[in-house]
Structure formats: C-alpha cells, structure tokens
Amino acid sequence: MAHTTELETARSQSVPTRTPWGQHALLHAVFFLMGGELFLISPLLPTIADDFGTSIPATALVVTAYGLTYAAASPILGALAEHVARRRVILLGVAVMVVGEILCALAPNLPLMVVARMVGGMGGALMGPAIWAFLAETAVPHERGRAISRGAAAYAGGQIVGVPLGTLVAASFDWRWAFAGVALVLAAVGASIAIRLREPDRVVVRPARAATALASSFRLWTLRTFRLIMLGNLCAQAARLGTYAFAGALFSTRFGLSTETLGLVGALVGIGSFTGSLLAGPVIDRWRAAGRREPVLCIGWGGLLAAALALAVLAPTSWVSIVGFMLAFAAGSAFFSTGQVFLTTELAERRSAAVSWNNSAMYIGTAVGTAVLGALGYGSTGFAIGAVVFAVAATTCSALLATRR
C-alpha cells in the first residue's frame, strides 16, 4: 500500500468557495507576456535577419526553437513538477524565461539567439502547466470555465499587442529592446507573484523517484478519453494555426496587402481569438450547470472552425477572408478552452501532467498543420480542403468523447 501511495498525485484537499480572481490576474499577466513575446517576433524577422546577415527562413528558427523546446520539455517537466508547490514551479519558470529573454537581447549571432529561445521555451514549458493547473484547482467549480477561458484570452491578448508592437519596434528602435522590455516586465510580474500568490490548498504526495512520476504521466496515454482529447486538440490547432502560418503569404499575394496592413490583420485575428476565449467561459459554465458534457459543446466549435477556415482561404475579397480568420480563431480558441476545462475536470488528480501533454499537442499540431498544408500549396482548393479535414477530425474526436459515459 505504501508503494501505491507514492504513485498518487496531488489531490485537492477542499473545494474552493471563492475564486481568487486577483491572483489569477497575476498569472494572466504572465500568459499575456508569453503570447505577446511569441507573436512580436514575426514582424521582427527581417530586421533580425539583416542584423545577423542570415536569410529570413534561417532566422525563422528562433520561432521554431521555442515551440519545439516547449513541446518536448513540457510533458517531462509537467510530470516532475506535479508534486512540487505550484507557486515555486511558476516562479522558477518565470526566472528561466527572463534569462532567455535577456540572452535574446544580448545574442551576437543567430545560433546563440536560437539557444536563447530554447531557454525561453524551457521556462514556458515549466510554468505553463503549473499555471493552468492553478487556475483550475483554485476556481469555484461553477466558475472553472471562466477561469480557464480568461487564461486563454490573456494569451490571445498578447497576440493583439505583440504583432503591432513588433512592427513598431522594427520601424523605430533596435529589435533587441523588444526582448529586453519583455524581460523587464516579466521580472516585475514575477516579483508580484512572489509577494501575492498563495499556494492552492492541496495535498502533495511526492513519488520516491523521478522515474515514478514520469511513468505516471506516460500512463495517461492508456486512457482512451485522454488520447481523444489530445488528438482533438492537435487537429484543431493544425487546422487553425497551420492555416494562419500562411495568412501573410495569402494576403500579400492574392490581395496585395502591405506589411503594415498585415500587422493590422494579425491584430484583428488576435481580437477574434481573444473574443472566442472570453465568451467561451460563461458558455462553458452554463453548459456544465445544465448537466451537459463539454465534448458536445466542442462539436459546435469544431463545425464553426471548419466553415470559417473554408471561408478564410477561399474568400473573394480580403475583408471576407479576414472575417473568416477571425471566426476561425474565435472557434479554435473556444475549442481549446472547452477541451482544457474537460481535461482538468476529468483528470483532476493529474492536472499538471495532463495539461503539459495538451500544450505539447498544441505545438505539435501547429507544426503538423504547417507542414501538411504547406505541401498542398497555400490558397489552393487542396489547401482549403486540408484545413477543413483537420477541423472535421477534431470535431470527430469530440463526437466520440460525447458518446462516452
């Protein structure tokens, strides 16, 4: 029996009676900075490439390095950190990411810039799952949808600011100031978290060995519900983010939009993502209060995602295409938030480990969608069909989950 106890993960000691929205706001600020930092790089790529004397495709490795590091490290770090105090893990992740941002600002060449981005990805992979778990386990059950969705909205809000901010920095200042600024603000937020954030009321049972924690995390894949959630999220993000990876090329070649206008398009798409995340919260909570299951709601989000992506890619005018992308990002964000609530509820005893896998699925889905859709030729009918197929696959996973009791 002693061995069984060691395998147990953290259990909630009591059900929260009040959601600490003020503490959540501190963590939302971290997500906002993570989203802004990720999306501000796109308009900076030409400037960074010119400074380092490298091509834009080669310089784009600074984006890939962060995503791949996050995807690879998140499940491992999430499993190991499941049995450590949430506050401690979040602060450590913030510190690592601040170091990564400083290294980016000081990088003398592209290889060291890529390494710096990998350090930042490690920081994100460390604190991301812990933040999602904190939001879920400190929220009153009937407000969990809003708690998760507001976190996703904060990340999307960073996109709204990140793209135009990156464009402004590229036009007015040295690109290094963008990373230095993120490091400074993130350090200030980290200091506030150290002072104000209180550890959730939960019992932490530490495994005897790290291998035990990792084995427990990998055993999640033996659960059919978990596999369907992961596959659904992967396909939804492949559809949404894989398509958006080619939005700039689509708008510039088909509609002749300038670089400055593309920055505005990115902000509008971010608004769609922000709105979808924010509105999904109350909808999820009402849906759960009525005794309905989250996967049924995901079927609707998935159907809207498929239709919106078809509109975005095949639209005859730029504004119709923009509306399509905004709707697609609203639906995709709502799909992610709803799935995240379902995941953290169904696997409450292993929230951090489960969420870490879900975050990895998001980044892997983006890479898979970009590769597959890129091979089909952006803007073509085949490209549109591929995007819709990914969205339909996500909807199918939700339908299979909805039939399970």
Side-chain angles (χ1 to χ4, degrees), residues 50-277:
D50 184 64
D51 193 15
F52 288 154
T54 54
S55 67
I56 291 180
T59 309
L61 285 172
V62 300
V63 179
T64 307
Y66 180 94
L68 290 180
T69 301
Y70 193 118
S74 186
I76 297 173
L77 296 177
L80 296 177
E82 179 71 86
H83 312 282
V84 181
R86 304 288 191 215
R87 178 176 173 276
R88 184 183 303 174
V89 175
I90 293 169
L91 287 173
L92 180 58
V94 168
V96 172
M97 191 166 183
V98 167
V99 171
E101 296 303 302
I102 293 173
L103 292 176
C104 283
L106 299 176
N109 52 50
L110 181 59
L112 290 180
M113 178 78 167
V114 170
V115 172
R117 292 291 291 156
M118 293 174 69
V119 173
M122 290 286 287
L126 188 60
M127 64 182 166
I131 291 177
W132 285 118
F134 183 98
L135 296 177
E137 62 200 14
T138 58
V140 176
H142 67 268
E143 293 179 338
R144 186 172 294 150
R146 272 165 283 187
I148 294 294
S149 296
R150 288 178 185 180
Y155 193 92
Q159 178 187 352
I160 300 172
V161 175
V163 175
L165 179 61
T167 304
L168 176 64
V169 169
S172 308
F173 307 99
D174 190 311
W175 60 268
R176 298 176 186 275
W177 282 106
F179 295 98
V182 171
L184 180 63
V185 178
L186 187 58
V189 172
S192 297
I193 289 174
I195 296 170
R196 295 185 54 197
L197 196 70
R198 294 189 298 273
E199 181 66 17
D201 183 19
R202 68 188 188 116
V203 176
V204 178
V205 182
R206 290 181 173 83
R209 297 178 302 163
T212 305
L214 291 174
S216 177
S217 176
F218 278 93
R219 275 199 296 273
L220 287 170
W221 288 95
T222 64
L223 305 175
R224 184 171 182 265
T225 295
F226 179 79
R227 293 196 302 269
L228 285 172
I229 295 173
M230 294 302 106
L231 182 59
N233 183 35
L234 187 150
C235 290
Q237 304 316 315
R240 178 176 67 137
L241 297 175
T243 302
Y244 184 69
F246 301 95
L250 176 67
F251 282 115
S252 61
T253 57
R254 178 179 292 180
F255 304 118
L257 299 188
S258 64
T259 303
E260 293 76 11
T261 306
L262 290 177
L264 175 61
V265 171
L268 290 173
V269 171
I271 290 173
S273 185
F274 176 84
T275 303
S277 297

Side-chain angles (χ1 to χ4, degrees), residues 299-394:
I299 294 174
W301 301 135
L304 178 58
L305 176 63
L309 286 174
L311 177 65
V313 176
L314 301 177
T317 66
S318 60
W319 281 108
V320 174
S321 182
I322 291 171
V323 169
F325 272 112
M326 291 180 70
L327 287 173
F329 267 69
S333 295
F335 186 99
F336 175 80
S337 295
T338 307
Q340 196 84 309
V341 171
F342 183 61
L343 181 68
T344 56
T345 301
E346 290 290 303
L347 299 169
E349 295 182 358
R350 286 183 279 181
R351 280 194 179 107
S352 183
V355 167
S356 67
W357 283 110
N358 204 33
N359 289 348
S360 287
M362 179 177 68
Y363 282 102
I364 294 171
T366 302
V368 170
T370 302
V372 172
L373 297 178
L376 296 175
Y378 67 85
S380 66
T381 302
F383 182 93
I385 292 174
V388 170
V389 167
F390 275 126
V392 170

